[in-house]
Amino acid sequence: MERFIPFEKLQKKKQREQYAKRRKGWGEISPVTRRPPNPKAYNRKKARKWREESPYPCLLF
């Protein structure tokens, strides 16, 4: 039977093993923080699309 050793007095390697056992995975959730895009910010892709969709690009300029 193993003796009880307080967590603080365990070796660093053993502490890391204990932390790894306690830690859980993210599962289906992505850990990356997601926010909606700022509607007031200038979007270059949107500006490019507008120019490409124009039926008469040479008449505008």
Side-chain angles (χ1 to χ4, degrees), residues 34-56:
R34 297 182 182 172
R35 320 180 296 168
N38 184 356
K40 293 183 181 180
Y42 178 72
N43 187 354
R44 292 172 191 238
K45 290 182 180 179
K46 187 175 180 182
R48 176 179 269 174
K49 276 186 181 179
W50 176 81
R51 193 170 191 181
E52 290 174 359
E53 290 174 0
S54 175
Y56 308 107

Side-chain angles (χ1 to χ4, degrees), residues 2-61:
E2 291 184 30
R3 295 174 129 188
F4 174 76
I5 302 172
F7 186 76
E8 295 80 26
K9 292 192 176 186
L10 284 175
Q11 297 173 3
K12 294 288 181 181
K13 190 174 183 180
K14 299 285 184 181
Q15 285 183 358
R16 284 190 215 117
E17 289 175 6
Q18 291 290 327
Y19 282 134
K21 287 180 185 176
R22 291 183 198 174
R23 205 175 298 129
K24 293 183 179 180
W26 285 89
E28 297 293 321
I29 301 172
S30 174
V32 179
T33 304
R34 297 182 182 172
R35 320 180 296 168
N38 184 356
K40 293 183 181 180
Y42 178 72
N43 187 354
R44 292 172 191 238
K45 290 182 180 179
K46 187 175 180 182
R48 176 179 269 174
K49 276 186 181 179
W50 176 81
R51 193 170 191 181
E52 290 174 359
E53 290 174 0
S54 175
Y56 308 107
C58 56
L59 295 178
L60 293 176
F61 299 104

